[in-house]
């Protein structure tokens, strides 16, 4: 049973909103030659990240509230699936500030909650339920299932104002609702990007891989009886092109390699908690640390990201919240190299068959094996006979 935490046990904003807006401008600028900076300039950088991390950390409680509300609605609806939540990575925050005119306090997905439903009917029901009645104000919707993005991305997004006691407090949370097929597509994009060191999510990557994901999205949409992404060929031509691309770039083979080569650090095997800091290293190893306390988890995240931003670490790191540890890999398979559902459907489609929405096999937890003490009595009995 999950431990109930009071709001006072979550991180709070330690600065004013004017400070948050001011550091947003600096966050959008690159950090160059950190090691050669004067001590005063370095301190300014530390101060900027202190404010930015405090603002982000103050979204952890709103994130938890939305997460619990969504989980409750799924249980009420009898919808099968799982939920997860995470604060936005600092690198992603900085990219958004650098490429848009948004202020730091205007970013709608500083905190994110995700609901992954077993099928498209479950996704539609949850979307309708959120529209009808939800404790937090819906600012805007992005219906990427009914209107897929050109790159193939499909998911329904709600931009929410966190409204405790019926009043907006300035925090925003993004809720994503998707099916397992849509989730397998999105996480395969991330997994391939992580493995190849390319930014497929923002289209800065190999054109053949980008095209393969477009075609796969179209076939997933057809199976779910949903609109396909714009300018996609008919099913016959789509399958032919998929086969050719798969052969050309060895997509299925590389996806299998990702499954094989990405491996966990030992502490994942038995650690339990509610908040997890997942760290993906450049050698494709994954390190996971678990926490019951959100403040400790947020503090570790900020410390690691500081090393990344200062050029002292090349790993990728994210803080996530899941109800059960056995849902961790299922919710964030891209970090663990788990692209099983996607590659299975790629092979299925290349054979001319329809994609199938498989349920992922549950992740098993194995407690550390206790060292067995040798039974010396057997030896003593043996040697006393001589």
């Amino acid at each position: 049973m999950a431990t109930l935490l009071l709001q006072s046990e979550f991180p709070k904003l330690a600065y004013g909103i004017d400070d948050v807006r001011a550091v947003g401008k600096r966050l959008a600028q690159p950090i160059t030659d950190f090691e050669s900076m004067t001590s005063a300039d370095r301190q300014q950088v530390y101060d900027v990240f202190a404010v930015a991390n405090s603002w982000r950390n103050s979204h952890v409680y709103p994130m938890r509230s939305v997460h619990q509300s969504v989980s409750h609605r799924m249980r009420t609806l009898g919808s099968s699936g799982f939920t997860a939540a995470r604060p936005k990575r600092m690198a992603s925050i900085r990219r958004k500030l650098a490429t848009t005119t948004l202020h730091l306090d205007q970013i709608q997905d500083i905190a994110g909650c995700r609901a992954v439903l077993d099928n498209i009917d479950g996704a539609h029901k949850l979307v309708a339920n959120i529209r009808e009645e939800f404790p937090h104000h819906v600012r805007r919707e992005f219906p990427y299932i009914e209107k897929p993005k050109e790159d193939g991305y499909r998911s329904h997004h709600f931009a929410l104002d966190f409204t405790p006691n019926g009043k907006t407090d300035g925090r925003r949370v993004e809720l994503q609702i998707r099916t397992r097929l849509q989730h397998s597509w999105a996480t395969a994009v991330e997994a391939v990007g992580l493995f190849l060191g390319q930014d497929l999510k923002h289209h800065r990557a190999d054109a053949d891989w980008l095209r393969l994901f477009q075609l796969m999205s179209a076939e997933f949409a057809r199976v779910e009886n949903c609109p396909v992404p714009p300018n996609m060929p008919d099913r016959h031509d789509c399958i032919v092109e998929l086969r050719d691309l798969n052969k050309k770039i060895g997509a299925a083979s590389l996806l299998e390699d990702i499954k094989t080569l990405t491996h966990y650090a030992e502490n994942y095997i038995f650690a339990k908690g509610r908040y997890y800091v997942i760290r993906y290293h450049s050698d494709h190893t994954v390190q996971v640390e678990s926490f019951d306390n959100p403040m400790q988890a947020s503090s570790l995240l900020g410390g690691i990201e500081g090393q990344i931003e200062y050029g002292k670490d090349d790993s990728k790191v994210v803080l996530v919240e899941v109800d059960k540890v056995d849902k961790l890999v299922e919710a964030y398979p891209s970090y663990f190299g788990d692209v099983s559902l996607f590659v299975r459907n790629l092979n299925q489609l290349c054979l001319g068959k329809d994609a199938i929405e498989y349920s992922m096999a549950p992740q098993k937890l194995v407690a550390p094996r206790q060292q067995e003490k040798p039974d010396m009595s057997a030896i003593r009995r043996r040697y006393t006979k001589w």
Side-chain angles (χ1 to χ4, degrees), residues 56 59-60 62-64 67 83-90 92-93 96 107-114 153 157 172-176 178 190 201 274-276 278 301 317-322 331-332 335:
R56 180 180 59 178
H59 287 71
V60 175
M63 180 183 79
R64 156 67 78 86
H67 187 190
T83 59
R86 60 95 185 104
K88 197 173 186 68
R89 294 191 304 121
M90 189 57 66
S92 299
I93 292 173
K96 182 159 284 191
I107 297 177
Q108 71 183 23
D109 61 343
I110 291 285
C113 179
R114 178 178 296 158
Y153 180 80
H157 291 198
R172 299 174 182 178
V173 180
E174 182 182 79
L175 169 61
Q176 299 177 359
R178 56 175 65 160
E190 290 191 42
K201 285 182 68 174
R274 187 180 184 95
Y275 300 90
Y276 297 86
I278 308 174
L301 175 69
V317 64
V318 65
L319 166 63
V320 303
E321 178 191 3
V322 289
Y332 292 90
Y335 280 87

Side-chain angles (χ1 to χ4, degrees), residues 37 62 106 126 139 191 209 229 243 253 255 267 272 279 291 301 326 329 333-335 357 359 363 377:
M37 286 182 180
Q106 294 174 326
L126 184 58
R139 291 176 57 87
W209 273 105
R243 285 176 184 149
S253 177
L255 288 161
N267 61 349
K272 291 187 178 182
R279 196 170 179 183
F291 299 86
L301 175 69
D326 61 357
V329 177
S334 55
Y335 280 87
E357 192 151 28
S359 293
Q363 301 295 321
S377 62

Side-chain angles (χ1 to χ4, degrees), residues 68-133:
Q68 289 183 326
S69 295
V70 172
S71 297
H72 172 72
R73 274 155 178 74
M74 287 175 62
R75 289 192 297 269
T76 301
L77 292 168
S79 299
S80 298
F82 61 89
T83 59
R86 60 95 185 104
K88 197 173 186 68
R89 294 191 304 121
M90 189 57 66
S92 299
I93 292 173
R94 297 187 66 206
R95 182 190 297 113
K96 182 159 284 191
L97 290 171
T99 56
T100 69
T101 58
L102 292 173
H103 294 291
L104 179 56
D105 61 306
Q106 294 174 326
I107 297 177
Q108 71 183 23
D109 61 343
I110 291 285
C113 179
R114 178 178 296 158
V116 180
L117 287 302
D118 284 355
N119 52 55
I120 193 65
D121 289 339
H124 287 326
K125 286 179 182 177
L126 184 58
V127 168
N129 184 273
I130 300 297
R131 285 173 176 160
E132 182 179 330
E133 181 185 8

